[in-house]
Amino acid sequence: DEFRCDWALLRLFSSHGDGEAAANRVMREFFSIIAKHQALGPCKPPPIGWCSWYCHGPAVNDELMHRSLSELQAFGGSQELPLNLFQLDDGWQSAWGDWLTPNDRFPRGLKPLADAVKAAGMTPGIWLAPAALTATSQLFKDRPEWLLRDSFGKPVTGGFTAPGLWMYSLDTTNPEVLQYVHRVIHTIVNDWGFRYLKIDFLHCAAMPGASRHDVTKSRAAALD
């Protein structure tokens, strides 16, 4: 018989003593080894930034973002807000999943905003959820074979989120899906000019109960 599971339990024990201090020391040693194996460098300083979601939710548009940038520049000049990041959040896309087509509230596209943020001396940032899409998206209609589906062939939902949306999931074990996500990220970073990405709802790629394109991939591997 064969048993497959996406879950594993790792418990480390110290041979040099008991108690919480010894356990913590072993865990630090373990993660130090993992960091060396993954060739991880030191963490970059966290940015100090402004995010449109906490002021405007999804009700963003081109004029509002440029006006907000100008207001933040005025505060920055007085050193009241030493910001180095300006991040556009949810609400710019035509639909979840259609990340290459900004909606009509940004008639010039998003590159002018990124350019303005850089000219203001800040890093332009943007929100997206590359593993998620909605049923109203063009991607959902055009690429049904890219959807993560259950054993009955129905699309797997990734949950319900603001502002009242049911999320569906892309099957990231499908090479065509990965190519699409790569093209989205490449366009946003290299063509539009955004250097900070707020990547959200990645859990959609790892939803349980799914029948994946590559059946050898676990839920964890679908996020790799």
Side-chain angles (χ1 to χ4, degrees):
D1 293 336
E2 183 180 6
F3 178 76
R4 295 186 180 186
C5 181
D6 287 316
W7 297 95
L9 173 65
L10 174 66
R11 188 172 183 181
L12 303 177
F13 296 91
S14 173
S15 60
H16 304 291
D18 298 320
E20 185 176 349
N24 289 338
R25 183 173 62 254
V26 173
M27 289 299 293
R28 285 195 297 270
E29 293 174 357
F30 172 75
F31 286 116
S32 177
I33 293 171
I34 294 296
K36 290 179 181 178
H37 176 73
Q38 299 292 341
L40 299 178
C43 294
K44 296 180 180 180
I48 302 172
W50 179 86
C51 172
S52 63
W53 182 261
Y54 302 103
C55 295
H56 310 296
V60 292
N61 60 63
D62 186 66
E63 190 276 332
L64 176 61
M65 290 301 95
H66 280 85
R67 188 171 73 245
S68 298
L69 177 61
S70 297
E71 293 171 355
L72 290 170
Q73 277 185 276
F75 279 111
S78 65
Q79 298 301 309
E80 290 184 51
L81 289 174
L83 300 178
N84 54 31
L85 170 69
F86 182 96
Q87 187 240 305
L88 172 63
D89 212 273
D90 184 16
W92 61 267
Q93 69 285 352
S94 56
W96 285 45
D98 298 337
W99 307 112
L100 295 177
T101 51
N103 60 44
D104 56 9
R105 297 195 300 273
F106 293 86
R108 300 183 298 162
L110 295 183
K111 188 177 186 304
L113 177 61
D115 289 343
V117 173
K118 285 184 281 189
M122 289 185 279
T123 298
I126 193 169
W127 168 95
L128 70 155
L133 71 166
T134 58
T136 59
S137 68
Q138 196 62 42
L139 189 68
F140 189 96
K141 300 179 179 70
D142 292 346
R143 296 291 184 177
E145 72 277 13
W146 287 4
L147 298 178
L148 195 61
R149 296 179 181 272
D150 62 21
S151 58
F152 299 100
K154 295 182 179 180
V156 173
T157 62
F160 189 75
T161 188
L165 298 173
W166 275 106
M167 297 178 290
Y168 291 92
S169 306
L170 287 176
D171 185 351
T172 56
T173 70
N174 186 328
E176 291 184 354
V177 171
L178 292 182
Q179 290 173 8
Y180 170 70
V181 172
H182 181 273
R183 181 158 60 93
V184 167
I185 300 299
H186 184 276
T187 300
I188 289 175
V189 172
N190 295 287
D191 296 345
W192 298 355
F194 289 90
R195 292 292 182 264
Y196 177 93
L197 304 181
K198 177 184 174 182
I199 305 295
D200 212 349
F201 296 103
L202 289 179
H203 76 275
C204 289
M207 291 300 295
S211 178
R212 291 180 164 77
H213 177 84
D214 186 343
V215 298
T216 68
K217 299 290 187 182
S218 67
R219 291 168 58 196
L223 292 172
D224 190 359

